[in-house]
Amino acid sequence: QLSGVTTIIVLGASGDLAKKKTYPALFGLYRNNFLPEGTRIIGYSRSKLSDEGFYERISGYMKTPTEEIKVLLSKFLKLCTYVSGQYDVDEDYQRLNKAIEDIENVNNSKEKNRVFYMALPPSVFVPVARGLKNNVYSKNGINRLIVEKPFGMDLDSSRKLGKALAPLWKEEETYRIDHYLGKEMVKNLLIIRFSNVIFGAIWNRQSISNVQITFKEKIGTGGRGGYFDEFGIIRDVMQNHILQILSIVAMERPVSLSSEDVRDEKVRVLRCIPPVKLQDVLLGQYTKSEDGTNPGYLDDDTVPPESNCPTFAAATLFINNDRWEGVPFILKCGKALNEPKTEIRVQFQDVPGNVFKNASRNELVIRVQPNEAVYMKMTNKLPGLSMDTVISELDLTYHRRFSDLVIPDAYESLILDVLKGDHSNFVRDDELDAAWKIFTPILHQIEEEKIKPQPYTFGSRGPPGIDEFVAKYGFKRSTQE
Ligand code: BG6
C-alpha cells in the first residue's frame, strides 16, 4: 500500500464512466476499508458544478442497501471535492494542483502520492496527460495514471497515441485498464489452469478440439449509437476484453506471478497469432425486435443511415505454437442478443474408440457472468439397470458453493491494484501492439471493402449463420441437449 497521503484525481468526473463505474468503485473500496488512510478524491471536468451539485450527479449509481451504508456514503462524499476546468488550459490545471496541495498540506505528510484516473474520451487523452504532467505531477511522491480504452483505432493510431504519451508518462506509471481483467472469473483463470494438475495435463491440442469465448449482451447501443458507430463491436469488445481472456486461456505458465512475468507470457502467446482472415469472420448488425418494441441499430438517429458497422462479430483465431497449432479459438461477441452472458467453453476431443453410443464431448465451461460458475460436462451412467449414458455436470456454481458470496466489482479490484502498484491486470504497451496486429488488417478490409454485416433480430441468438460458423471449426453440440 502507498504510504504518506494519497489523492485520487478523477478526470472527466461529471461523465458517464465516472458516474457509473469510477466513483461507485471508489465508494466500494472506501466501504471495505481499502483506501489508504487519509485518501481524498478530487473530481475534475469541464462542467461547472458546486460540490453539492456534483454529489447529486454521482450519488445515483452508489448502492446503499442499508442505513449503515447510507451513512458511509455521506462520509465518503465528504472526502470528495470538485474542480471545474478545461482540458487544455495550464492555468486550470494549476488551480487543480492548488486544490490538491491544500488537501496535502492539511495532512502534513512528506510523501504526496497522486493517482490520476482518466475517465475521458480519447480525443483529450494527450492534452490531459500533458496538462497533468506539466502542472499537477507530484514532486514528492508516487504518480500513477489510469487510462481507459479505446487506445487508438488500429495499430497506427495506437502507436501514435503511445508515442505522444510516452515522453510524458513512463510505462511504470501508466495503467491501461481493461476492466475484464478485474472480473473475478477472469482472475480465476490463472488459478484454474496452473494449480490443478488435471487441467495442466490436457491443456493442449492433443486433448482440446476448440475453444469458444462468448460475450453476449441483451442491450443494444441504446442511444449511444453515434459513438459506437465509430468503433464497432470488434474494437469495442473483441480486440480487448475477449482477446485478453484468450491470452490467459492460452498462455504458458508464467515464471512467477510478478506482473512482468505474467504479461511476458501474454504477449508471447499473442505474438503467435497471425492476423484474422476475412474467411474466418462473421459479422452481424441487429434489426428491430420481432414485436417492434426495440429499435434496430439503423433506427438510431445518431447512426449514419447506411452504416455497415457490426454489432455482432464472430472470428476464429489460430495460435502457431506447439501447444495450440490447429485448435480454433472461436471468439463471439454481440449486442442486442437473447441473453447477457460471458463464458469460456473449452471443448475436448472425441473419446477415441468409444464403446458407448454416446458421442458427447467433455467441456469445461467458465461462466464469467452472470451467475459465476465453473462446470465440467461429462458423461455418466444413467442410474438404473441399463448401461445407458447421460450427460451431467461437475458443477461449481458460485452462489451455491460460497455462502455470503460477495464478488467485488471489476473496477474496485483494478483500482486497488493501482493503489498497490500491481500491473499484472493492466495492458502493457507491447501487449496492446500485439493485440492490434491481430485485428488491424481485418478492420481495414471490412471498412475498405464495405463488407455488409448479416442482419439479425434484436433479442435473437445472432445472425442465422452462427451455428454453421462454429460447426465449421469443429464445435459439436452435445447430443443429449
Ligand atoms: C465496455 C464496452 O468496454 O464493456 C461496452 O465499451 C460494453 O460496449 C461493456 O457494454 C461491457 O462490460 P460489462 O462489465 O457490463 O460486461
Side-chain angles (χ1 to χ4, degrees):
Q1 277 286 18
L2 293 170
S3 56
V5 56
T6 300
T7 312
I8 299 174
I9 301 104
V10 181
L11 292 303
S14 66
D16 243 32
L17 179 69
K19 180 170 75 179
K20 292 184 180 159
K21 300 287 186 189
T22 319
Y23 275 96
L26 289 168
F27 177 48
L29 290 173
Y30 170 77
R31 250 173 53 188
N32 296 303
N33 274 325
F34 281 121
L35 289 184
E37 186 75 30
T39 298
R40 297 287 298 269
I41 300 160
I42 300 193
Y44 182 89
S45 57
R46 285 179 295 203
S47 315
K48 289 208 160 45
L49 291 167
S50 63
D51 281 353
E52 281 64 34
F54 179 64
Y55 297 158
E56 224 169 87
R57 176 125 2 158
I58 57 170
S59 298
Y61 284 86
M62 311 274 195
K63 288 192 194 101
T64 48
T66 63
E67 270 314 305
E68 199 189 335
I69 296 181
K70 263 193 200 136
V71 173
L72 284 176
L73 176 60
S74 47
K75 283 192 184 160
F76 170 76
L77 290 177
K78 290 203 178 89
L79 306 179
C80 301
T81 45
Y82 180 80
V83 175
S84 83
Q86 297 301 314
Y87 291 135
D88 51 359
V89 177
D90 281 335
E91 293 76 51
D92 288 357
Y93 286 113
Q94 284 150 17
R95 271 192 303 112
L96 172 63
N97 189 50
K98 173 81 177 54
I100 303 171
E101 279 173 358
D102 289 347
I103 293 170
E104 290 170 342
N105 293 340
V106 172
N107 278 295
N108 231 349
S109 173
K110 277 205 197 92
E111 266 173 73
K112 294 161 184 172
N113 308 308
R114 298 181 181 180
V115 174
F116 300 96
Y117 192 121
M118 299 216 294
L120 292 167
S123 53
V124 295
F125 280 0
V126 178
V128 173
R130 187 179 305 117
L132 293 175
K133 182 65 199 283
N134 293 344
N135 304 289
V136 202
Y137 195 83
S138 170
K139 288 167 194 77
N140 304 303
I142 286 167
N143 290 278
R144 292 182 181 147
L145 181 74
I146 308 176
V147 196
E148 276 279 349
K149 79 172 175 59
F151 312 118
M153 294 288 286
D154 55 12
L155 184 61
D156 244 26
S157 51
S158 158
R159 282 186 175 167
K160 263 193 205 129
L161 178 65
K163 266 205 181 124
L165 294 177
L168 301 165
W169 291 84
K170 291 188 232 112
E171 184 63 21
E172 312 88 85
E173 295 172 323
T174 308
Y175 292 76
R176 291 179 201 85
I177 275 204
D178 183 312
H179 77 283
Y180 266 61
L181 292 177
K183 294 203 184 247
E184 182 68 21
M185 282 313 222
V186 177
K187 292 172 87 170
N188 191 19
L189 283 171
L190 276 186
I191 298 181
I192 291 182
R193 284 200 53 201
F194 299 118
S195 53
N196 290 292
V197 74
I198 51 168
F199 295 131
I202 56 175
W203 213 257
N204 53 43
R205 67 194 162 92
Q206 284 78 23
S207 302
I208 292 175
S209 161
N210 60 80
V211 178
Q212 277 188 74
I213 306 174
T214 307
F215 164 102
K216 287 168 128 190
E217 275 186 331
K218 266 178 99 159
I219 46 172
T221 51
R224 253 176 91 230
Y227 164 82
F228 185 85
D229 205 76
E230 287 175 42
F231 298 93
I233 197 77
I234 296 180
R235 289 187 179 95
D236 190 43
V237 172
M238 193 181 271
Q239 180 269 356
N240 34 74
H241 304 328
I242 310 294
L243 191 66
Q244 282 294 330
I245 295 179
L246 178 150
S247 68
I248 307 172
V249 170
M251 69 193 251
E252 296 301 312
R253 190 184 59 213
V255 175
S256 78
L257 289 179
S258 81
S259 52
E260 295 323 310
D261 283 343
V262 171
R263 298 194 298 177
D264 281 351
E265 292 306 334
K266 285 172 70 191
V267 176
R268 205 189 306 270
V269 76
L270 289 176
R271 289 179 53 211
C272 293
I273 304 177
V276 187
K277 296 199 187 81
L278 191 59
Q279 71 210 44
D280 295 320
V281 171
L282 173 72
L283 301 174
Q285 189 186 73
Y286 65 87
T287 56
K288 70 174 185 305
S289 59
E290 243 162 44
D291 62 5
T293 52
N294 288 301
Y297 179 69
L298 295 180
D299 299 329
D300 182 335
D301 289 341
T302 61
V303 168
E306 304 279 299
S307 170
N308 282 330
C309 175
T311 57
F312 177 99
T316 301
L317 274 55
F318 293 92
I319 304 175
N320 287 339
N321 65 14
D322 44 353
R323 182 186 292 277
W324 294 118
E325 194 174 86
V327 178
F329 282 75
I330 308 163
L331 313 185
K332 296 181 297 180
C333 48
K335 292 191 174 273
L337 295 172
N338 58 334
E339 57 179 344
K341 188 161 79 180
T342 301
E343 67 168 32
I344 302 149
R345 186 172 292 263
V346 179
Q347 187 171 68
F348 292 89
Q349 304 278 8
D350 290 324
V351 175
N354 195 353
V355 291
F356 293 96
K357 263 187 264 144
N358 119 81
S360 288
R361 291 172 163 179
N362 290 126
E363 282 179 9
L364 174 70
V365 182
I366 297 155
R367 193 161 57 224
V368 175
Q369 63 186 35
N371 192 12
E372 290 79 353
V374 183
Y375 60 92
M376 180 88 188
K377 282 191 156 194
M378 55 176 283
T379 305
N380 200 58
K381 180 178 173 306
L382 183 70
L385 295 175
S386 75
M387 282 298 275
D388 289 344
T389 60
V390 64
I391 299 167
S392 47
E393 280 149 20
L394 291 177
D395 181 4
L396 168 56
T397 294
Y398 270 36
H399 72 82
R400 282 201 288 267
R401 172 65 179 77
F402 301 107
S403 52
D404 301 327
L405 176 71
V406 181
I407 296 195
D409 176 75
Y411 278 90
E412 271 177 49
S413 154
L414 293 175
I415 295 174
L416 185 62
D417 283 349
V418 177
L419 293 169
K420 289 184 191 154
D422 181 352
H423 266 104
S424 319
N425 291 312
F426 294 84
V427 183
R428 203 166 66 188
D429 50 359
D430 52 349
E431 200 176 343
L432 183 61
D433 217 64
W436 276 123
K437 277 187 184 153
I438 297 170
F439 285 103
T440 295
I442 190 75
L443 284 164
H444 288 175
Q445 189 178 0
I446 291 169
E447 279 149 15
E448 277 154 24
E449 296 178 18
K450 299 194 171 51
I451 293 177
K452 278 220 163 311
Q454 283 187 21
Y456 63 95
T457 312
F458 195 119
S460 67
R461 290 178 55 244
I466 189 60
D467 289 337
E468 227 173 276
F469 182 88
V470 294
K472 182 167 105 182
Y473 298 101
F475 175 74
K476 282 194 195 164
R477 214 160 262 292
S478 57
T479 47
Q480 284 174 41
E481 265 181 335

